[in-house]
Amino acid sequence: MHLIWLAFCDELKRGFSMIVLTRCAQTAIVLAIVVAISSVITPTPAQANAGELIAAVLGVLFCLAVLAALVAILAFAILLIFKLGRVILRKLRGSNDDGSQTRFYDVASMILVMTVLGIASLEGVTNAFSFATRNSTTATRLINAPVEQVWDTMETATSPQFALPKFLQIFPQPVDVVIDQGTSLGALRQVAFRGREGAGDLTLRVVNRTDDRAVFAVLSDTSPIANWVSHRFITYHVNPVPNGTVLNVTLEFDRELAPSWFFTPLTNVAGYFAMDVLARDVKIRSENRL
């Protein structure tokens, strides 16, 4: 749009490429800040008891926040690369003339940027343009209680009696435990989720149970969070230590969104915080039972 505007104003003079890139970076950063703040302070449908229309609007707003963040990061990175390139050219030429004030430089710069963005936009469209989506994250807590007490606590799933991390509030959140059959082999656990994208349930079954491990496999996921990640397994692993029990909670999942450089760290961090909430809840309840 900045390029079209310069052409409309007949301002495509030598050096226009850096003007376009600078304006793109500035616009993208402002857009990301405005939309992200709007998304954060706007309540989710679960919080506002919003109807379908309002829920849809809030969902679109949140998606815009993510897109704005992506564009801002890309625009800033491209601008930084071009500025670094100019410095390198000056060093190689041994003068302050890096050739950036030529029409060839401007046209080549715009073609290069559009080519890179075009190729990058293909990620996730097909498997051939996708990076590995399989991820896992683990949260660890030391519990001042014996292993037996920890297992007894994990037989019942409850809503945490503490505030969730602020970071998790942008994602769909669990609101109820619909089915809870404990941690024995074959036991079912169904958790209801609600968020900007709607509502649904995550259903799990214990498929592996030993003295120190319980593995919940995901049977189905109709929750809004399935738009972000596809849950595979949640594993509780306990290890007795002299002063209590070390609890590891591991989430294995597939990332559903691209690009990977943005969503892999985001989903890993979100997964860690979510597993830490589960581990912290078990820790608090186990120690309170003593």
Side-chain angles (χ1 to χ4, degrees):
M1 293 302 298
H2 286 297
L3 187 61
I4 293 173
W5 178 252
L6 284 182
F8 177 77
C9 297
D10 195 24
E11 292 292 333
L12 292 180
K13 302 174 182 178
R14 287 184 298 177
F16 73 84
S17 60
M18 284 306 299
I19 295 176
V20 171
L21 291 174
T22 301
R23 290 183 180 180
C24 284
Q26 294 170 344
T27 302
I29 292 172
V30 172
L31 177 65
I33 293 174
V34 172
V35 181
I37 291 176
S38 299
S39 179
V40 169
I41 65 176
T42 303
T44 66
Q47 296 169 330
N49 295 318
E52 293 185 4
L53 177 60
I54 300 301
V57 171
L58 294 176
V60 170
L61 179 62
F62 182 71
C63 289
L64 285 175
V66 175
L67 289 173
L70 278 169
V71 173
I73 294 172
L74 282 173
F76 182 76
I78 291 172
L79 179 62
L80 187 62
I81 290 172
F82 269 86
K83 285 185 175 296
L84 181 61
R86 293 177 65 175
V87 173
I88 294 175
L89 284 173
R90 290 193 188 103
K91 295 294 184 182
L92 292 176
R93 289 171 178 263
S95 68
N96 291 329
D97 181 15
D98 56 13
S100 62
Q101 298 302 313
T102 65
R103 185 58 59 91
F104 174 79
Y105 179 94
D106 290 323
V107 174
S109 298
M110 291 297 97
I111 292 175
L112 179 60
V113 169
M114 292 179 183
T115 301
V116 170
L117 292 180
I119 294 175
S121 299
L122 293 176
E123 186 190 346
V125 175
T126 66
N127 290 333
F129 293 100
S130 299
F131 294 96
T133 60
R134 188 65 48 85
N135 291 278
S136 67
T137 184
T138 300
T140 302
R141 287 279 175 170
L142 173 62
I143 303 175
N144 297 317
V147 170
E148 296 77 11
Q149 186 71 47
V150 174
W151 277 121
D152 288 344
T153 300
M154 289 192 293
E155 285 297 311
T156 303
T158 63
S159 298
Q161 299 301 311
F162 51 84
L164 297 180
K166 293 290 185 181
F167 182 78
L168 289 181
Q169 294 181 9
I170 66 176
F171 299 96
Q173 298 179 18
V175 294
D176 188 25
V177 179
V178 181
I179 300 174
D180 185 13
Q181 298 179 349
T183 61
S184 59
L185 187 64
L188 288 175
R189 183 165 291 177
Q190 184 174 339
V191 183
F193 282 81
R194 295 180 69 182
R196 286 187 171 88
E197 299 91 335
D201 297 332
L202 174 66
T203 305
L204 310 99
R205 184 193 300 275
V206 179
V207 295
N208 186 1
R209 179 68 163 89
T210 63
D211 291 340
D212 65 348
R213 188 184 306 269
V215 180
F216 287 82
V218 175
L219 300 183
S220 65
D221 188 1
T222 61
S223 70
I225 206 168
N227 297 323
W228 291 77
V229 298
S230 176
H231 294 97
R232 299 182 67 248
F233 300 97
I234 296 178
T235 301
Y236 291 85
H237 179 260
V238 297
N239 181 36
V241 293
N243 55 341
T245 302
V246 173
L247 172 63
N248 295 304
V249 186
T250 301
L251 171 65
E252 297 177 54
F253 63 93
D254 291 319
R255 172 179 48 82
E256 295 295 335
L257 299 175
S260 60
W261 60 264
F262 181 84
F263 286 105
T264 294
L266 181 66
T267 52
N268 279 337
V269 170
Y272 170 78
F273 277 118
M275 295 305 100
D276 186 62
V277 167
L278 296 180
R280 186 156 40 124
D281 177 60
V282 173
K283 171 181 172 66
I284 293 173
R285 291 193 293 128
S286 296
E287 293 175 349
N288 286 343
R289 295 179 64 177
L290 293 177

